[in-house]
Amino acid sequence: MALAKEIMGSRFIFERSSLASSRLSIKKKTQRTQSSIIPFDLRPMKAAISGGVVAAISEDLVKTLRINTLGRNQEKKQEEEKAVQFKVRAVVTVRNKNKEDFKETLVKHLDAFTDKIGRNVVLELISTQVDPKTNEPKKSKPAVLKDWSKKSNSKAEKVYYTAEFNVDSAFGSPGAITVTNKHQREFFLDNITIEGFACGAVHFPCNSWVQSQNDHPSKRIFFTNQPYLPSETPSGLRTLREEELENLRGNGKGERKLSDRIYDFHVYNDIGNPDISPELARPTLGGREFPYPRRCRTGRPSTDTDLMSERRVEKPLPMYVPRDEQFEESKKDTFAACRLKAVLHNLVPSLKASIVAEDFAHFGEIDSLYKEGLLLKLGIQDDMFKKFPLPKIVTTLQKSSEGLLRYDTPKIISKDKNAWIRDDEFARQAIAGINPVNIERITTYPPVSNLDREIYGSHLDSALTEDHINGHLDGLSVQQALETNRLFMVDYHDTYLPFLDRINALEGRKAYATRTILFLTRLGTLKPIAIELSLPKSKRVVTPPEDATTYWTWQLAKAHVGSNDAGVHQLVNHWLRTHACLEPFILAAHRQLSALHPIYKLLEPHMRYTLEINAVARQTLISADGVIESCFTAGQYGLEISAAAYKNQWRFDMEGLPADLIRRGMAVPDPTQPHGLKLLVEDYPYANDGLLLWSAIQTWVRTYVERYYPNPNLIKTDTELQAWYSESINVGHADHRDAKWWPELSTVDDLVSIITTIVWLASAQHAALNFGQYPYGGYVPNRPPLMRQLIPDKTDPEFASFVGDPQKFFFSSLPSLLQTTKFMAVVDTLSTHSPDEEYIGERQQPSIWTGDAEIVDAFYGFSAEIARIEQEIEKRNKDPSRRNRCGAGVLPYELMAPSSEPGVTCRGVPNSVSI
């Protein structure tokens, strides 16, 4: 009887409901296996069967009972494997839209209603294991998000929903989750957390728009934050990993919808608009004639006039980029999509009708733009305010009876309004201004051109002689100055000379190809000692002034240098080298690197918004008759200059900071120095601060890479990594695919160098070249984006008017009032940080972006190092011995200071090219 009772008791235990079983605690640290889920101990029952109690029963009965009991045990064990179920809970975070139009509001209410009747959001949990019976990944039963209709009117930024999954003990670890949106409207899925597994909370960082099933029938796939190399992918995730990449690649056919998530390559054949006018036709960039990086494919049809050109999409209509690359709401509110439309398409025509004077009459008129504003004719401003809203527009807009449009005072004149005139400030900006990456050490004097002598002949010979600079070398000979590394140059001769005939034929555009010779003083500052002004068939050299006439000639020469500098800065160093050249790496990363890949997780914050800002640039900035063509000297030939620089100068292996400094002769290798090189201009703010950030990025990347690639063979055999790098080169940079200078990708050092360079370009390099545009360029005389007149000599008819009123001639050479205000509005926008900016050392969900705790700790260490660098930069800016960043009227160098408030701050290093 005792045995019978014990057996019956055991049977009762086995037949407890699965609901009761699910209530047992499973939060202990156990292995994620079937045995760790089953909570019962079978040993007492086994002892009852085989122990001493059995001896009191007949042998036959024991045999029969044992057989029957074991059979029942086996049967119950099989039933238990099926019956032992436990519930896990999903917490789903959805980000609300701040603003909705009427249609969106209507659809939202419709979704709330239909959600109640079964058209809802469905989730399915997928295991890392494969079911041996089906050879398919193990899946939970579908689960529905709860309370969608109840929370549909929530005004919170983030709304939290729950769903419950029933999974059995053999499910294993969750590795992915699918989401089906049966609503009419897309929603932004921030993240999902699964609670209830023995392994603890499982995180799914999503950060993605989930489209309606009506538009995109396929289920969306999201993976956990646990990184896996392709060879280490759990069996249950292998097929899904490849399936998701195939979805992102697309088939290269058809026109893309705005809701698509397809990444593909194409040439720049959408810059011109030949259907409107033959004058707006532009060559295709990308190919043999005009080599160029590739951009994101949109699949739009060709123009009617030119089958090789893609039909344009004009503002306010959006250009296609994959849905998750589009700006978030706070970014849209800040950025220029609506502002550029307002400023360039509505404000400018009104200004044309209201501005009487074409040129500035004196410096006071420029100052009034910041003090009083731009006065419009009474009545016109009222019409403008009705035509379009101007909330916090690129300028500080104030309405009054006179109609004011006032600009913030640029930093360059905030401490000393006459600082820009000084020669030392002109030279200082070559190493601490908005374009500190063109200065180079002179090794041969006079300088030698690299252009083809068969084409240009003796016109390439420099007009510079030793006599031009001998009196400015502090008693040194030219040879001594060269040997002691005291002569430097900003050289735009080869960049502009091939285009000068065409540029100077444009109405209201005049340019030289300039060379500026700089001397390094004993104080560690630079001073300009000669400027060479080249035309295709003539050259002249201007030296520091000796009288009134040469004073104004010298100021005009510096203005032409500034115009050259502004064009190269914008078209080559900023747009080409950061925006355009990074886009292929980003496209290839999405196409070839799974979200599970550790390198994708490393790169992810450095790719944010870049595709969108580049698309906007194709619409409004670099397009035919766009901002660049309207506001810069090169006009419609600007992108051809950019393409020539890509063909002749750009090399990925020279884009890292140390390599670039050495290439320009600004540093020499020196293993005894902290960063392995010695700067030849010791107080070089861009390089000083840049090397701090470069070193921090490199250390962080090395720590990360070595974590996942303990031996080089893992890099060589990583199919996704090799495919990413290969596609970046062979497709994204196809015009340079055969170049010998591409780095190998075979070792840890190779990968560290490649990733460090990409992160550097996306963050610190772009910040240094971008966020000072308004602070330095907003005062147009400091570095005019275009010039309208050449400098007359005594034989020119214009010389009399120049001598008669040199200030008037100076202003007639600078951009007009209309060109100036248009340019100021644009660079103000481009210099603005949005409220949702993510700065270097930051990232979304910093504690759960990866499931690797060791890497999370390492990232916090990286963040701490970035904070230390910021303190060091602040300290340097207060050091009076650093004369290129501290002194009377001298601006501190903060473009590499990592953090910033929103707005135009002339500081802050975002993670990515986001503006």
Side-chain angles (χ1 to χ4, degrees), residues 268 270-271 292-296 312 319-321 325 327 335 574-576 578-584 586-587 607-623 766 913-915:
Y268 282 75
D270 62 344
I271 302 301
Y292 219 62
R294 300 305 189 256
R295 48 93 171 177
C296 183
R312 288 185 52 77
M319 182 95 77
Y320 170 77
V321 294
E325 305 301 319
F327 292 155
F335 180 62
H574 178 212
W575 163 253
L576 172 67
T578 61
H579 285 259
C581 285
L582 280 177
E583 185 159 346
I586 294 171
L587 290 170
M607 303 188 290
R608 185 179 188 228
Y609 289 155
T610 303
L611 298 186
E612 170 78 347
I613 191 63
N614 286 1
V616 172
R618 299 204 313 275
Q619 274 192 306
T620 59
L621 295 177
I622 64 171
S623 57
H766 177 260
V913 178
S914 59
I915 188 70

Side-chain angles (χ1 to χ4, degrees), residues 373-409:
L374 187 62
L375 294 177
L376 309 180
K377 284 186 176 179
L378 189 63
I380 290 182
Q381 77 279 5
D382 297 327
D383 179 58
M384 287 167 52
F385 288 130
K386 292 175 183 177
K387 286 171 66 177
F388 53 90
L390 294 170
K392 298 180 181 178
I393 201 168
V394 290
T395 59
T396 303
L397 189 68
Q398 297 179 345
K399 292 172 69 174
S400 73
S401 60
E402 293 181 326
L404 290 174
L405 187 59
R406 185 168 63 81
Y407 296 84
D408 291 332
T409 301

Side-chain angles (χ1 to χ4, degrees), residues 65-267:
L65 185 60
R66 179 173 288 153
I67 292 170
N68 291 340
T69 301
L70 291 175
R72 281 198 301 272
N73 287 347
Q74 187 68 27
E75 182 181 329
K76 295 303 178 185
K77 186 175 181 181
Q78 292 174 354
E79 290 177 1
E80 183 189 23
E81 289 179 352
K82 297 179 181 179
V84 175
Q85 298 257 321
F86 60 97
K87 290 185 178 180
V88 296
R89 187 176 77 140
V91 179
V92 179
T93 305
V94 173
R95 192 182 304 168
N96 260 343
K97 287 186 175 181
N98 296 326
K99 300 175 183 177
E100 295 176 343
D101 58 28
F102 175 76
K103 180 181 179 181
E104 288 176 321
T105 302
L106 187 65
V107 174
K108 180 179 73 173
H109 291 307
L110 179 62
D111 284 341
F113 173 76
T114 57
D115 189 84
K116 296 179 180 180
I117 58 175
R119 295 196 60 80
N120 36 37
V121 178
V122 181
L123 282 64
E124 195 171 23
L125 202 56
I126 300 173
S127 171
T128 57
Q129 300 177 7
V130 169
D131 188 331
K133 295 179 182 178
T134 64
N135 205 31
E136 296 288 333
K138 296 177 181 178
K139 298 179 182 179
S140 71
K141 292 182 179 179
V144 174
L145 279 195
K146 298 179 180 179
D147 299 330
W148 186 283
S149 59
K150 291 182 180 179
K151 298 180 179 181
S152 63
N153 290 320
S154 173
K155 301 299 182 183
E157 179 185 0
K158 294 182 179 180
V159 183
Y160 302 93
Y161 300 93
T162 60
E164 288 188 346
F165 298 96
N166 286 317
V167 296
D168 61 44
S169 56
F171 184 80
S173 303
I177 195 166
T178 62
V179 180
T180 303
N181 178 11
K182 296 183 180 179
H183 293 164
Q184 298 293 313
R185 193 172 76 145
E186 66 177 5
F187 65 87
F188 189 86
L189 183 56
D190 192 279
N191 68 85
I192 301 172
T193 300
I194 306 294
E195 300 170 340
F197 281 98
C199 60
V202 181
H203 300 286
F204 294 79
C206 303
N207 298 309
S208 180
W209 290 96
V210 180
Q211 300 301 320
S212 168
Q213 192 179 35
N214 297 339
D215 299 319
H216 295 268
S218 300
K219 297 177 180 179
R220 282 297 310 277
I221 303 167
F222 297 98
F223 297 104
T224 70
N225 61 353
Q226 187 63 40
Y228 297 102
L229 295 177
S231 60
E232 298 169 347
T233 309
S235 57
L237 302 181
R238 288 173 190 160
T239 301
L240 287 176
R241 182 171 186 151
E242 182 54 38
E243 179 184 329
E244 175 67 355
L245 285 175
E246 289 178 358
N247 290 338
L248 293 170
R249 292 179 195 131
N251 60 11
K253 299 178 181 178
E255 183 174 358
R256 299 273 64 86
K257 299 184 295 184
L258 292 175
S259 59
D260 285 346
R261 296 171 56 248
I262 295 176
Y263 298 78
D264 206 352
F265 299 91
H266 203 44
V267 294

Side-chain angles (χ1 to χ4, degrees), residues 442 445 465-482 484 486-488 517-522 527-530 544:
I442 298 176
Y445 188 88
T465 67
E466 292 190 4
D467 289 340
H468 287 122
I469 64 174
N470 271 332
H472 304 282
L473 302 179
D474 289 353
L476 298 177
S477 67
V478 172
Q479 188 60 33
Q480 288 172 326
L482 290 172
T484 55
R486 305 279 293 277
L487 283 178
F488 297 85
I517 308 301
L518 303 165
F519 178 70
L520 180 64
T521 71
R522 291 186 177 91
K527 66 177 183 179
I529 58 176

Side-chain angles (χ1 to χ4, degrees), residues 480-499:
Q480 288 172 326
L482 290 172
E483 291 173 353
T484 55
N485 302 319
R486 305 279 293 277
L487 283 178
F488 297 85
M489 174 174 60
V490 177
D491 185 0
Y492 297 127
H493 178 275
D494 290 3
T495 300
Y496 279 93
L497 192 69
F499 298 91

